[in-house]
Amino acid sequence: MKTLIWLIVLLPGLVKAQSGSEILVLDLKVRKGSVSASNPVNATRHPGYDNQPHFHPQLPLLYFASFNEDGRSDIRAFNLKTKTTSNITTTAEREYSPTVTPDRQFLSCIIQRDNGAQDLGKYPIDGGEPQVLINNLTVGYHVWLDNSHVALFVLGEPQTLHYLQLPTRQDTILASGIGRSLHRIPGERALSFVWKKAENDWRIMRFDPEKNTVSEIAVTLPGREDLAWTADGKILMSDGTKLFFYDTRSTGKNWMEAGMPSTPELQGITRLAVNAKGDQLAVVVAE
């Protein structure tokens, strides 16, 4: 286990966005020693950018960011039962990274403005005007630990990981040179992030806010930063075409290949998301 000071002197990362992407939803089976995904269904079927999938923790809804006809990103929701899509936002701003807040009353997201600002805000989950939570940082991505504590990927040279206590506005920089993938670790009050230690050395790290410590979990797949967690402590990543898993609760800890169809539509895989029940996997693919 390492202290936070050790992580302050890291190398810069690089944020990349896809100009054309789709989101596929697959059936997911997670067993003690295996993982498999099957039956891919295109949830977006929309030209241009569809990205950053996020499952509602209770309802059959998949939220995502999607470019409209004006090239601005709105938040949309795909109903996994009815197979219908609806807009959550239709604004003059650009919204990214939809995330259901821990109280399940709001969708938090990044609000990108024409002046270059990127604020963290939240919309009532049933619709309404947004509340701006953070407007003094250029926020790229975020993850909630609870209703009062949020971790932020903040753009800059280098990108930095901030841990913010909203009631007091206390802001702690945990690391720099990080990747875009931030996650609450299932079953823990802790989060994971990717530390880009060097050009060819990227590592998945764990931050424990109670002990105020950071420790290493695993080395990523080469050159990959997007991941998702299953409820039983497995990390899922893709090399772009295949799916792999790393079992953090296993004694023989290494990346294992998961079962997944080899089809043309499952190419250029980047971001991943797993639903709360653990039986569905959303992946972003190149269009």
Side-chain angles (χ1 to χ4, degrees), residues 11-63:
L11 298 179
L14 182 65
V15 180
K16 297 180 180 178
Q18 291 177 311
S19 59
S21 50
E22 298 277 14
I23 300 172
L24 304 184
V25 177
L26 298 93
D27 296 330
L28 183 66
K29 290 184 179 179
V30 180
R31 297 183 175 88
K32 183 177 181 180
S34 67
V35 173
S36 62
S38 59
N39 304 320
V41 173
N42 193 321
T44 48
R45 295 196 180 279
H46 166 256
Y49 181 97
D50 297 289
N51 214 316
Q52 301 170 336
H54 176 82
F55 287 99
H56 190 287
Q58 291 180 312
L59 303 177
L61 296 174
L62 178 71
Y63 299 103

Side-chain angles (χ1 to χ4, degrees), residues 43 60-62 64 76-86:
L61 296 174
L62 178 71
F64 59 99
R76 308 186 80 191
F78 176 71
N79 189 304
L80 295 154
K81 285 190 175 180
T82 65
K83 310 302 182 186
T84 57
T85 302
S86 58

